[in-house]
């Protein structure tokens, strides 16, 4: 939609980049408020507030407001996405053997990311809609999200959440007796967000997801430009490479996610290390070989091996922190992930403007190596240690 937004608002690349960065503010607000919403309203609150913000935001975009208002609307959309991301990632990540379900959740995102540009271009170019007409479809889809989520989680109240998670920042309730906050130790009186950030694994996984999201969105945004401008391929071939990348992500998240429980005797850290190794090797081949046939083979493989990293990182996060801190820790990681998905594509554009789009490739390689370093520094969760001792 960037092309149409630039033309409609007469904006240059720098001005339009502010719009791309604005959802980060919403995600940051979500990271700060997610735990409080869970504690007070439960998952029902997330199921209503998050999709409700999507409906409001997309209807507002469909009215094509002035550009400063549009930026604020995208902040609102980011807040809704941040609440939903952290809420459902923390919920699924806490389940036993959750890799398959988590992979399905994230593959749905990949599938939507692959299809949304296709649908948008179809209704604009084939049906003659204005760009903002597409957002009526987005609002309709968000309304479906609101109804289905509210129905699924209507019974999940704040009282239920407090009972099962024993949130340390609130008075704990056992058999209708409240333990006053003053009677809790200083450590337990601290906010769950502060406690989560006191765990070094929260920072390592958040940085990992920050880098991962930057890699994913940078490749998705710039592969077509690299293929057309630097490798002299056709726009159709470039668009097919982008679609193949998203297709690889989608299939990788589903297939690897459901395979992980079958190889549970191995360390979950080892599975992600293997995926990262394949990703680095695929990216190296893509960097060194510029012909279309090689690209058509390694780009889907690159997406396939890259896809499981985000969901498995979220699951690892839930294994390394206390259950009461899942929402806070995952919310912070998702907020940083959103920042990475906005900041790094923008930085790639700045570097490409100065040195050429081919600089995308070494930048991504450095980020992949940093991801591998963060993953190596993580401790093994207790259950993995037990598997290794008994295996």
């Amino acid at each position: 939609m960037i092309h149409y937004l630039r033309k409609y608002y007469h904006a240059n690349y720098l001005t339009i980049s502010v719009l791309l960065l604005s959802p980060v503010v919403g995600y940051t607000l979500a990271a700060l408020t997610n735990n409080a919403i869970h504690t007070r309203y439960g998952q029902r609150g997330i199921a209503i507030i998050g999709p409700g913000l999507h409906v409001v935001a997309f209807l507002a975009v469909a009215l094509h407001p002035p550009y400063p208002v549009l930026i604020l609307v995208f902040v609102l959309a980011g807040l809704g996405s941040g609440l939903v991301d952290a809420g459902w990632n923390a919920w699924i990540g806490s389940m036993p053997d959750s890799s398959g379900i988590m992979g399905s959740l994230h593959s749905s995102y990949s599938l939507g990311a692959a299809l949304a540009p296709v649908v948008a271009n179809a209704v604009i170019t084939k049906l003659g809609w204005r760009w903002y007409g597409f957002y009526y479809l987005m609002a309709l889809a968000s309304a479906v999200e609101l109804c289905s989520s509210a129905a699924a989680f209507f019974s999940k109240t704040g009282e239920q959440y407090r009972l099962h998670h024993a949130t340390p920042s609130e008075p704990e309730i056992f058999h209708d007796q409240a333990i006053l906050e003053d009677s809790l130790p200083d450590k337990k009186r601290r906010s769950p967000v502060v406690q989560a950030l006191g765990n070094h694994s929260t920072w390592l996984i958040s940085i990992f997801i920050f880098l991962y999201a930057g890699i994913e969105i940078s490749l998705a945004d710039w592969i077509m430009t690299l293929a057309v401008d630097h490798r002299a391929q056709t726009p159709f071939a470039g668009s097919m490479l982008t679609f193949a990348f998203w297709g690889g992500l989608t299939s990788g998240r589903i297939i690897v996610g459901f395979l992980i429980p079958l190889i549970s005797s191995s360390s979950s850290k080892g599975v992600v290390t293997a995926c990262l190794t394949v990703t680095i090797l695929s990216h190296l081949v893509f960097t060194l070989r510029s012909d279309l046939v090689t690209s058509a083979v390694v780009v889907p493989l690159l997406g396939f091996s890259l896809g499981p990293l985000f969901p498995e990182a979220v699951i690892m996060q839930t294994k390394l922190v206390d259950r009461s801190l899942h929402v806070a820790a995952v919310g912070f990681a998702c907020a940083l992930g959103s920042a990475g998905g906005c900041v790094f594509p923008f930085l790639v554009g700045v570097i490409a403007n100065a040195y050429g789009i081919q600089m995308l490739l070494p930048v991504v390689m450095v980020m992949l190596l940093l991801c591998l370093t963060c993953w190596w520094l993580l401790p093994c969760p207790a259950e993995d240690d037990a598997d290794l001792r008994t295996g």
Side-chain angles (χ1 to χ4, degrees):
M1 299 300 290
I2 297 300
H3 171 72
Y4 301 104
L5 287 166
R6 284 188 64 240
K7 288 179 64 177
Y8 185 82
Y9 287 102
H10 305 289
N12 58 32
Y13 287 111
L14 183 60
T15 303
I16 210 72
S17 68
V18 176
L19 189 66
L20 299 177
L21 293 172
S22 60
V24 177
V25 178
Y27 264 82
T28 303
L29 291 173
L32 297 174
T33 59
N34 221 315
N35 194 79
I37 294 173
H38 272 83
T39 302
R40 182 156 188 170
Y41 302 110
Q43 290 173 312
R44 177 203 289 177
I46 299 296
I48 294 173
I49 296 172
L53 288 171
H54 285 158
V55 173
V56 172
F58 294 138
L59 284 176
V61 176
L63 297 176
H64 47 97
Y67 191 70
V69 177
L70 189 69
I71 292 173
L72 295 177
V73 168
F74 270 71
V75 171
L76 201 64
L79 175 58
S81 296
L83 293 174
V84 169
D85 273 5
W88 303 158
N89 273 290
W91 174 56
I92 293 175
S94 302
M95 297 178 181
D97 296 326
S98 58
S99 293
I101 302 174
M102 184 70 82
S104 299
L105 174 72
H106 284 262
S107 67
S108 299
Y109 162 79
S110 303
L111 184 61
L115 293 178
V118 176
V119 174
N121 280 308
V123 298
I124 292 170
T125 59
K126 303 298 183 183
L127 301 182
W129 289 19
R130 302 296 297 271
W131 67 268
Y132 45 80
F134 171 71
Y135 284 92
Y136 283 112
L137 295 180
M138 294 287 286
L140 179 61
S142 297
V144 173
E145 176 196 15
L146 173 60
C147 294
S148 59
S149 298
F153 292 95
F154 193 78
S155 62
K156 303 297 183 180
T157 62
E159 183 179 0
Q160 260 196 13
Y161 181 84
R162 292 191 298 271
L163 182 64
H164 287 94
H165 291 79
T167 309
S169 63
E170 297 288 331
E172 299 187 45
I173 299 174
F174 299 97
H175 306 294
D176 297 326
Q177 285 189 327
I179 300 177
L180 295 179
E181 189 174 312
D182 287 343
S183 68
L184 295 174
D186 288 342
K187 182 178 179 181
K188 288 199 170 186
R189 286 206 301 269
R190 289 186 294 163
S191 160
V193 175
V194 175
Q195 290 188 57
L197 296 182
N199 189 320
H200 78 280
S201 68
T202 300
W203 285 100
L204 282 172
I205 289 181
S206 296
I207 294 169
F208 178 90
I209 291 177
F210 175 71
L211 292 165
Y212 165 83
I215 294 165
E216 176 189 302
I217 305 302
S218 294
L219 287 171
D221 282 356
W222 292 104
I223 278 181
M224 180 175 176
T225 305
L226 175 73
V228 175
D229 292 354
H230 182 64
R231 297 188 169 179
Q233 293 164 4
T234 65
F236 177 77
S239 66
M240 287 299 99
L241 286 177
T242 301
F243 186 80
F245 175 73
W246 281 117
L249 274 168
T250 303
S251 57
R253 285 170 172 172
I254 295 176
I255 294 172
V256 176
F258 281 103
L259 282 177
I260 285 177
L262 302 179
I263 52 176
S264 57
S265 58
S266 301
S267 168
S268 57
K269 279 191 70 178
V271 174
V272 173
T273 302
C275 287
L276 266 170
T277 302
V278 174
T279 302
I280 290 169
L281 292 175
S282 300
H283 184 70
L284 183 62
V285 173
F286 182 55
T287 301
L288 298 177
R289 296 291 299 272
S290 60
D291 60 286
L292 183 58
V293 174
T294 302
S295 297
V297 174
V298 298
V299 167
L301 180 60
L302 178 59
F304 184 91
S305 54
L306 190 66
L309 301 186
F310 193 148
E312 290 307 312
V314 172
I315 292 172
M316 179 65 78
Q317 179 73 94
T318 62
K319 292 178 179 179
L320 293 174
V321 299
D322 185 76
R323 182 181 179 88
S324 64
L325 304 179
H326 284 180
V327 170
V330 173
F332 182 75
C334 287
L336 270 191
S338 172
C342 296
V343 171
F344 282 112
F346 172 71
L347 292 178
V348 167
V350 172
I351 294 171
N353 189 60
Y355 301 104
I357 188 58
Q358 69 274 13
M359 291 303 297
L360 166 70
L361 301 171
V363 168
V364 168
M365 180 60 78
V366 170
M367 293 163 67
L368 284 169
L369 294 173
L370 289 173
C371 275
L372 186 59
T373 302
C374 288
W375 196 255
W376 277 342
L377 290 174
L378 281 172
C380 283
E383 60 197 73
D384 283 351
D385 287 339
D387 284 343
L388 290 172
R389 287 193 297 269
T390 59

